[in-house]
Amino acid sequence: QVQLVESGGGLVQAGGSLRLACTASGRTFSRYVMGWFRQSPGKEREFVATINWSGSSTYYADSVKGRFTISRDNAKNTVYLQMNNLKPEDTAVYYCAAASGGSGSYYSTRRYDYWGQGTQVTVSS
């Protein structure tokens, strides 16, 4: 069992920055692939970024590439999402997720076994 708790959401002006954090507890966090997804009203939950167990490999959605950075600190059981140059279209509830066993694309929500409660990010113009 893995529990994920997110923090760092809030309201910012366009062009501003936020840093989200997700702290995990439970079995063998350091071996989990971690991801960030987001969901805005009326839309499907979409992939944002993912990071492997060691932090050596990261992948980003085209919409955030160059602006967002995912990282992890296994000693703290925490994954981060640094969001810079935020745009109004980034407004969404952001979720962190953990993938253990199984197979499939890490871009897909189906790949992940555990989810955080979500944290609201609102970017005003």
PDB file of all heavy atoms in Angstrom, residues 4 6 22 32-37 47-51 70 72 79 95-99 106 112 114-115:
ATOM      1  N   LEU A   4      -0.047   8.824  -1.068  1.00  0.00           N
ATOM      2  CA  LEU A   4       0.595   9.993  -1.641  1.00  0.00           C
ATOM      3  C   LEU A   4      -0.114  11.248  -1.154  1.00  0.00           C
ATOM      4  O   LEU A   4      -1.341  11.331  -1.216  1.00  0.00           O
ATOM      5  CB  LEU A   4       0.550   9.943  -3.169  1.00  0.00           C
ATOM      6  CG  LEU A   4       1.094   8.672  -3.827  1.00  0.00           C
ATOM      7  CD1 LEU A   4       0.847   8.715  -5.332  1.00  0.00           C
ATOM      8  CD2 LEU A   4       2.583   8.516  -3.543  1.00  0.00           C
ATOM      9  N   GLU A   6      -0.002  15.459  -1.584  1.00  0.00           N
ATOM     10  CA  GLU A   6       0.521  16.546  -2.394  1.00  0.00           C
ATOM     11  C   GLU A   6       0.423  17.876  -1.663  1.00  0.00           C
ATOM     12  O   GLU A   6      -0.446  18.070  -0.804  1.00  0.00           O
ATOM     13  CB  GLU A   6      -0.247  16.634  -3.709  1.00  0.00           C
ATOM     14  CG  GLU A   6      -0.052  15.419  -4.590  1.00  0.00           C
ATOM     15  CD  GLU A   6      -1.248  15.126  -5.447  1.00  0.00           C
ATOM     16  OE1 GLU A   6      -2.377  15.099  -4.906  1.00  0.00           O
ATOM     17  OE2 GLU A   6      -1.060  14.922  -6.662  1.00  0.00           O
ATOM     18  N   CYS A  22       5.106  15.938  -3.633  1.00  0.00           N
ATOM     19  CA  CYS A  22       4.286  14.776  -3.316  1.00  0.00           C
ATOM     20  C   CYS A  22       5.110  13.839  -2.457  1.00  0.00           C
ATOM     21  O   CYS A  22       6.139  13.325  -2.911  1.00  0.00           O
ATOM     22  CB  CYS A  22       3.828  14.078  -4.597  1.00  0.00           C
ATOM     23  SG  CYS A  22       2.902  12.557  -4.338  1.00  0.00           S
ATOM     24  N   TYR A  32       9.617   2.868  -7.311  1.00  0.00           N
ATOM     25  CA  TYR A  32       8.427   3.244  -8.072  1.00  0.00           C
ATOM     26  C   TYR A  32       8.762   4.293  -9.110  1.00  0.00           C
ATOM     27  O   TYR A  32       9.459   5.268  -8.836  1.00  0.00           O
ATOM     28  CB  TYR A  32       7.345   3.801  -7.142  1.00  0.00           C
ATOM     29  CG  TYR A  32       6.594   2.768  -6.349  1.00  0.00           C
ATOM     30  CD1 TYR A  32       7.202   2.070  -5.325  1.00  0.00           C
ATOM     31  CD2 TYR A  32       5.251   2.511  -6.619  1.00  0.00           C
ATOM     32  CE1 TYR A  32       6.504   1.124  -4.593  1.00  0.00           C
ATOM     33  CE2 TYR A  32       4.550   1.581  -5.887  1.00  0.00           C
ATOM     34  CZ  TYR A  32       5.177   0.892  -4.876  1.00  0.00           C
ATOM     35  OH  TYR A  32       4.472  -0.035  -4.140  1.00  0.00           O
ATOM     36  N   VAL A  33       8.242   4.098 -10.310  1.00  0.00           N
ATOM     37  CA  VAL A  33       8.175   5.187 -11.272  1.00  0.00           C
ATOM     38  C   VAL A  33       7.080   6.148 -10.809  1.00  0.00           C
ATOM     39  O   VAL A  33       6.000   5.727 -10.401  1.00  0.00           O
ATOM     40  CB  VAL A  33       7.871   4.659 -12.679  1.00  0.00           C
ATOM     41  CG1 VAL A  33       7.582   5.807 -13.639  1.00  0.00           C
ATOM     42  CG2 VAL A  33       9.039   3.812 -13.186  1.00  0.00           C
ATOM     43  N   MET A  34       7.376   7.434 -10.873  1.00  0.00           N
ATOM     44  CA  MET A  34       6.434   8.444 -10.422  1.00  0.00           C
ATOM     45  C   MET A  34       6.006   9.329 -11.590  1.00  0.00           C
ATOM     46  O   MET A  34       6.782   9.580 -12.512  1.00  0.00           O
ATOM     47  CB  MET A  34       7.049   9.311  -9.324  1.00  0.00           C
ATOM     48  CG  MET A  34       7.471   8.539  -8.086  1.00  0.00           C
ATOM     49  SD  MET A  34       6.057   7.821  -7.197  1.00  0.00           S
ATOM     50  CE  MET A  34       5.201   9.301  -6.663  1.00  0.00           C
ATOM     51  N   GLY A  35       4.787   9.799 -11.521  1.00  0.00           N
ATOM     52  CA  GLY A  35       4.280  10.674 -12.567  1.00  0.00           C
ATOM     53  C   GLY A  35       3.444  11.801 -12.010  1.00  0.00           C
ATOM     54  O   GLY A  35       2.945  11.737 -10.882  1.00  0.00           O
ATOM     55  N   TRP A  36       3.316  12.841 -12.819  1.00  0.00           N
ATOM     56  CA  TRP A  36       2.389  13.933 -12.554  1.00  0.00           C
ATOM     57  C   TRP A  36       1.383  13.998 -13.690  1.00  0.00           C
ATOM     58  O   TRP A  36       1.753  13.923 -14.874  1.00  0.00           O
ATOM     59  CB  TRP A  36       3.104  15.277 -12.439  1.00  0.00           C
ATOM     60  CG  TRP A  36       3.873  15.473 -11.168  1.00  0.00           C
ATOM     61  CD1 TRP A  36       5.198  15.273 -10.963  1.00  0.00           C
ATOM     62  CD2 TRP A  36       3.341  15.930  -9.921  1.00  0.00           C
ATOM     63  NE1 TRP A  36       5.539  15.580  -9.670  1.00  0.00           N
ATOM     64  CE2 TRP A  36       4.411  15.980  -9.005  1.00  0.00           C
ATOM     65  CE3 TRP A  36       2.065  16.310  -9.480  1.00  0.00           C
ATOM     66  CZ2 TRP A  36       4.252  16.393  -7.680  1.00  0.00           C
ATOM     67  CZ3 TRP A  36       1.901  16.710  -8.168  1.00  0.00           C
ATOM     68  CH2 TRP A  36       2.989  16.747  -7.286  1.00  0.00           C
ATOM     69  N   PHE A  37       0.125  14.144 -13.322  1.00  0.00           N
ATOM     70  CA  PHE A  37      -0.972  14.324 -14.269  1.00  0.00           C
ATOM     71  C   PHE A  37      -1.773  15.537 -13.847  1.00  0.00           C
ATOM     72  O   PHE A  37      -1.666  16.016 -12.720  1.00  0.00           O
ATOM     73  CB  PHE A  37      -1.864  13.082 -14.308  1.00  0.00           C
ATOM     74  CG  PHE A  37      -1.213  11.873 -14.918  1.00  0.00           C
ATOM     75  CD1 PHE A  37      -0.279  11.136 -14.210  1.00  0.00           C
ATOM     76  CD2 PHE A  37      -1.531  11.472 -16.202  1.00  0.00           C
ATOM     77  CE1 PHE A  37       0.329  10.022 -14.764  1.00  0.00           C
ATOM     78  CE2 PHE A  37      -0.938  10.351 -16.772  1.00  0.00           C
ATOM     79  CZ  PHE A  37      -0.009   9.632 -16.050  1.00  0.00           C
ATOM     80  N   PHE A  47      -1.410  13.464 -19.074  1.00  0.00           N
ATOM     81  CA  PHE A  47      -0.034  13.283 -18.645  1.00  0.00           C
ATOM     82  C   PHE A  47       0.716  14.602 -18.634  1.00  0.00           C
ATOM     83  O   PHE A  47       0.556  15.425 -19.541  1.00  0.00           O
ATOM     84  CB  PHE A  47       0.660  12.302 -19.593  1.00  0.00           C
ATOM     85  CG  PHE A  47       2.140  12.228 -19.409  1.00  0.00           C
ATOM     86  CD1 PHE A  47       2.689  11.537 -18.349  1.00  0.00           C
ATOM     87  CD2 PHE A  47       2.984  12.849 -20.308  1.00  0.00           C
ATOM     88  CE1 PHE A  47       4.060  11.466 -18.180  1.00  0.00           C
ATOM     89  CE2 PHE A  47       4.356  12.786 -20.157  1.00  0.00           C
ATOM     90  CZ  PHE A  47       4.900  12.086 -19.085  1.00  0.00           C
ATOM     91  N   VAL A  48       1.550  14.784 -17.617  1.00  0.00           N
ATOM     92  CA  VAL A  48       2.405  15.958 -17.521  1.00  0.00           C
ATOM     93  C   VAL A  48       3.880  15.569 -17.560  1.00  0.00           C
ATOM     94  O   VAL A  48       4.643  16.071 -18.383  1.00  0.00           O
ATOM     95  CB  VAL A  48       2.107  16.768 -16.246  1.00  0.00           C
ATOM     96  CG1 VAL A  48       3.086  17.933 -16.106  1.00  0.00           C
ATOM     97  CG2 VAL A  48       0.675  17.276 -16.261  1.00  0.00           C
ATOM     98  N   ALA A  49       4.296  14.679 -16.655  1.00  0.00           N
ATOM     99  CA  ALA A  49       5.705  14.320 -16.561  1.00  0.00           C
ATOM    100  C   ALA A  49       5.851  13.011 -15.813  1.00  0.00           C
ATOM    101  O   ALA A  49       4.986  12.624 -15.025  1.00  0.00           O
ATOM    102  CB  ALA A  49       6.508  15.410 -15.849  1.00  0.00           C
ATOM    103  N   THR A  50       6.970  12.329 -16.033  1.00  0.00           N
ATOM    104  CA  THR A  50       7.258  11.091 -15.317  1.00  0.00           C
ATOM    105  C   THR A  50       8.755  10.977 -15.076  1.00  0.00           C
ATOM    106  O   THR A  50       9.563  11.566 -15.806  1.00  0.00           O
ATOM    107  CB  THR A  50       6.735   9.860 -16.086  1.00  0.00           C
ATOM    108  OG1 THR A  50       6.865   8.680 -15.287  1.00  0.00           O
ATOM    109  CG2 THR A  50       7.484   9.667 -17.401  1.00  0.00           C
ATOM    110  N   ILE A  51       9.126  10.210 -14.061  1.00  0.00           N
ATOM    111  CA  ILE A  51      10.520  10.041 -13.677  1.00  0.00           C
ATOM    112  C   ILE A  51      10.733   8.616 -13.195  1.00  0.00           C
ATOM    113  O   ILE A  51       9.891   8.059 -12.498  1.00  0.00           O
ATOM    114  CB  ILE A  51      10.913  11.080 -12.598  1.00  0.00           C
ATOM    115  CG1 ILE A  51      12.409  11.037 -12.299  1.00  0.00           C
ATOM    116  CG2 ILE A  51      10.094  10.878 -11.321  1.00  0.00           C
ATOM    117  CD1 ILE A  51      12.875  12.238 -11.479  1.00  0.00           C
ATOM    118  N   ILE A  70      10.532  17.720 -13.447  1.00  0.00           N
ATOM    119  CA  ILE A  70      10.206  16.725 -12.445  1.00  0.00           C
ATOM    120  C   ILE A  70      11.499  16.212 -11.816  1.00  0.00           C
ATOM    121  O   ILE A  70      12.513  16.043 -12.496  1.00  0.00           O
ATOM    122  CB  ILE A  70       9.382  15.566 -13.044  1.00  0.00           C
ATOM    123  CG1 ILE A  70       8.877  14.619 -11.941  1.00  0.00           C
ATOM    124  CG2 ILE A  70      10.169  14.803 -14.103  1.00  0.00           C
ATOM    125  CD1 ILE A  70       7.892  13.566 -12.438  1.00  0.00           C
ATOM    126  N   ARG A  72      13.068  13.878  -8.035  1.00  0.00           N
ATOM    127  CA  ARG A  72      12.690  13.099  -6.864  1.00  0.00           C
ATOM    128  C   ARG A  72      13.844  13.027  -5.882  1.00  0.00           C
ATOM    129  O   ARG A  72      15.015  13.100  -6.253  1.00  0.00           O
ATOM    130  CB  ARG A  72      12.222  11.693  -7.253  1.00  0.00           C
ATOM    131  CG  ARG A  72      13.299  10.780  -7.810  1.00  0.00           C
ATOM    132  CD  ARG A  72      12.681   9.519  -8.421  1.00  0.00           C
ATOM    133  NE  ARG A  72      11.995   8.709  -7.425  1.00  0.00           N
ATOM    134  CZ  ARG A  72      11.134   7.725  -7.721  1.00  0.00           C
ATOM    135  NH1 ARG A  72      10.835   7.470  -8.993  1.00  0.00           N
ATOM    136  NH2 ARG A  72      10.563   7.024  -6.758  1.00  0.00           N
ATOM    137  N   VAL A  79       8.551  13.386  -4.552  1.00  0.00           N
ATOM    138  CA  VAL A  79       8.723  13.778  -5.943  1.00  0.00           C
ATOM    139  C   VAL A  79       8.242  15.214  -6.085  1.00  0.00           C
ATOM    140  O   VAL A  79       7.280  15.629  -5.417  1.00  0.00           O
ATOM    141  CB  VAL A  79       7.974  12.823  -6.897  1.00  0.00           C
ATOM    142  CG1 VAL A  79       6.467  12.843  -6.640  1.00  0.00           C
ATOM    143  CG2 VAL A  79       8.281  13.152  -8.350  1.00  0.00           C
ATOM    144  N   TYR A  95      -2.204  15.941 -10.023  1.00  0.00           N
ATOM    145  CA  TYR A  95      -2.141  14.701  -9.269  1.00  0.00           C
ATOM    146  C   TYR A  95      -0.774  14.045  -9.424  1.00  0.00           C
ATOM    147  O   TYR A  95      -0.238  13.986 -10.530  1.00  0.00           O
ATOM    148  CB  TYR A  95      -3.190  13.703  -9.777  1.00  0.00           C
ATOM    149  CG  TYR A  95      -4.616  14.155  -9.657  1.00  0.00           C
ATOM    150  CD1 TYR A  95      -5.220  14.892 -10.667  1.00  0.00           C
ATOM    151  CD2 TYR A  95      -5.370  13.829  -8.536  1.00  0.00           C
ATOM    152  CE1 TYR A  95      -6.539  15.297 -10.567  1.00  0.00           C
ATOM    153  CE2 TYR A  95      -6.692  14.230  -8.426  1.00  0.00           C
ATOM    154  CZ  TYR A  95      -7.269  14.965  -9.449  1.00  0.00           C
ATOM    155  OH  TYR A  95      -8.578  15.353  -9.346  1.00  0.00           O
ATOM    156  N   CYS A  96      -0.230  13.544  -8.337  1.00  0.00           N
ATOM    157  CA  CYS A  96       0.932  12.681  -8.451  1.00  0.00           C
ATOM    158  C   CYS A  96       0.478  11.236  -8.394  1.00  0.00           C
ATOM    159  O   CYS A  96      -0.580  10.914  -7.842  1.00  0.00           O
ATOM    160  CB  CYS A  96       1.982  12.973  -7.376  1.00  0.00           C
ATOM    161  SG  CYS A  96       1.498  12.602  -5.686  1.00  0.00           S
ATOM    162  N   ALA A  97       1.265  10.368  -8.991  1.00  0.00           N
ATOM    163  CA  ALA A  97       0.909   8.965  -9.097  1.00  0.00           C
ATOM    164  C   ALA A  97       2.157   8.102  -9.026  1.00  0.00           C
ATOM    165  O   ALA A  97       3.245   8.533  -9.408  1.00  0.00           O
ATOM    166  CB  ALA A  97       0.168   8.703 -10.412  1.00  0.00           C
ATOM    167  N   ALA A  98       1.983   6.878  -8.553  1.00  0.00           N
ATOM    168  CA  ALA A  98       3.071   5.923  -8.416  1.00  0.00           C
ATOM    169  C   ALA A  98       2.743   4.651  -9.172  1.00  0.00           C
ATOM    170  O   ALA A  98       1.627   4.130  -9.076  1.00  0.00           O
ATOM    171  CB  ALA A  98       3.325   5.609  -6.947  1.00  0.00           C
ATOM    172  N   ALA A  99       3.726   4.158  -9.916  1.00  0.00           N
ATOM    173  CA  ALA A  99       3.591   2.920 -10.672  1.00  0.00           C
ATOM    174  C   ALA A  99       4.555   1.882 -10.127  1.00  0.00           C
ATOM    175  O   ALA A  99       5.754   2.146 -10.001  1.00  0.00           O
ATOM    176  CB  ALA A  99       3.869   3.163 -12.156  1.00  0.00           C
ATOM    177  N   TYR A 106       3.971   4.863 -19.574  1.00  0.00           N
ATOM    178  CA  TYR A 106       3.944   5.731 -18.403  1.00  0.00           C
ATOM    179  C   TYR A 106       3.256   7.057 -18.685  1.00  0.00           C
ATOM    180  O   TYR A 106       3.109   7.873 -17.778  1.00  0.00           O
ATOM    181  CB  TYR A 106       5.358   5.957 -17.881  1.00  0.00           C
ATOM    182  CG  TYR A 106       5.914   4.747 -17.179  1.00  0.00           C
ATOM    183  CD1 TYR A 106       6.904   3.974 -17.770  1.00  0.00           C
ATOM    184  CD2 TYR A 106       5.446   4.366 -15.929  1.00  0.00           C
ATOM    185  CE1 TYR A 106       7.408   2.852 -17.129  1.00  0.00           C
ATOM    186  CE2 TYR A 106       5.945   3.252 -15.283  1.00  0.00           C
ATOM    187  CZ  TYR A 106       6.929   2.493 -15.884  1.00  0.00           C
ATOM    188  OH  TYR A 106       7.425   1.381 -15.243  1.00  0.00           O
ATOM    189  N   TYR A 112      -0.498   3.536 -13.636  1.00  0.00           N
ATOM    190  CA  TYR A 112      -0.208   3.902 -12.254  1.00  0.00           C
ATOM    191  C   TYR A 112      -1.158   3.232 -11.272  1.00  0.00           C
ATOM    192  O   TYR A 112      -2.362   3.115 -11.532  1.00  0.00           O
ATOM    193  CB  TYR A 112      -0.235   5.422 -12.101  1.00  0.00           C
ATOM    194  CG  TYR A 112       0.864   6.068 -12.898  1.00  0.00           C
ATOM    195  CD1 TYR A 112       0.707   6.337 -14.249  1.00  0.00           C
ATOM    196  CD2 TYR A 112       2.087   6.369 -12.306  1.00  0.00           C
ATOM    197  CE1 TYR A 112       1.735   6.893 -14.995  1.00  0.00           C
ATOM    198  CE2 TYR A 112       3.113   6.928 -13.041  1.00  0.00           C
ATOM    199  CZ  TYR A 112       2.939   7.185 -14.383  1.00  0.00           C
ATOM    200  OH  TYR A 112       3.959   7.729 -15.120  1.00  0.00           O
ATOM    201  N   TYR A 114      -1.230   3.994  -7.718  1.00  0.00           N
ATOM    202  CA  TYR A 114      -1.606   4.827  -6.582  1.00  0.00           C
ATOM    203  C   TYR A 114      -1.642   6.286  -6.991  1.00  0.00           C
ATOM    204  O   TYR A 114      -0.826   6.738  -7.804  1.00  0.00           O
ATOM    205  CB  TYR A 114      -0.622   4.631  -5.419  1.00  0.00           C
ATOM    206  CG  TYR A 114      -0.486   3.193  -5.002  1.00  0.00           C
ATOM    207  CD1 TYR A 114       0.586   2.424  -5.434  1.00  0.00           C
ATOM    208  CD2 TYR A 114      -1.432   2.593  -4.179  1.00  0.00           C
ATOM    209  CE1 TYR A 114       0.714   1.101  -5.063  1.00  0.00           C
ATOM    210  CE2 TYR A 114      -1.312   1.268  -3.805  1.00  0.00           C
ATOM    211  CZ  TYR A 114      -0.238   0.523  -4.246  1.00  0.00           C
ATOM    212  OH  TYR A 114      -0.125  -0.790  -3.873  1.00  0.00           O
ATOM    213  N   TRP A 115      -2.570   7.026  -6.391  1.00  0.00           N
ATOM    214  CA  TRP A 115      -2.791   8.423  -6.743  1.00  0.00           C
ATOM    215  C   TRP A 115      -2.925   9.285  -5.508  1.00  0.00           C
ATOM    216  O   TRP A 115      -3.481   8.853  -4.493  1.00  0.00           O
ATOM    217  CB  TRP A 115      -4.055   8.564  -7.585  1.00  0.00           C
ATOM    218  CG  TRP A 115      -3.934   7.925  -8.927  1.00  0.00           C
ATOM    219  CD1 TRP A 115      -4.150   6.615  -9.232  1.00  0.00           C
ATOM    220  CD2 TRP A 115      -3.557   8.573 -10.143  1.00  0.00           C
ATOM    221  NE1 TRP A 115      -3.932   6.399 -10.573  1.00  0.00           N
ATOM    222  CE2 TRP A 115      -3.569   7.589 -11.155  1.00  0.00           C
ATOM    223  CE3 TRP A 115      -3.221   9.887 -10.474  1.00  0.00           C
ATOM    224  CZ2 TRP A 115      -3.250   7.884 -12.478  1.00  0.00           C
ATOM    225  CZ3 TRP A 115      -2.907  10.179 -11.785  1.00  0.00           C
ATOM    226  CH2 TRP A 115      -2.924   9.178 -12.770  1.00  0.00           C
TER     227      TRP A 115
END
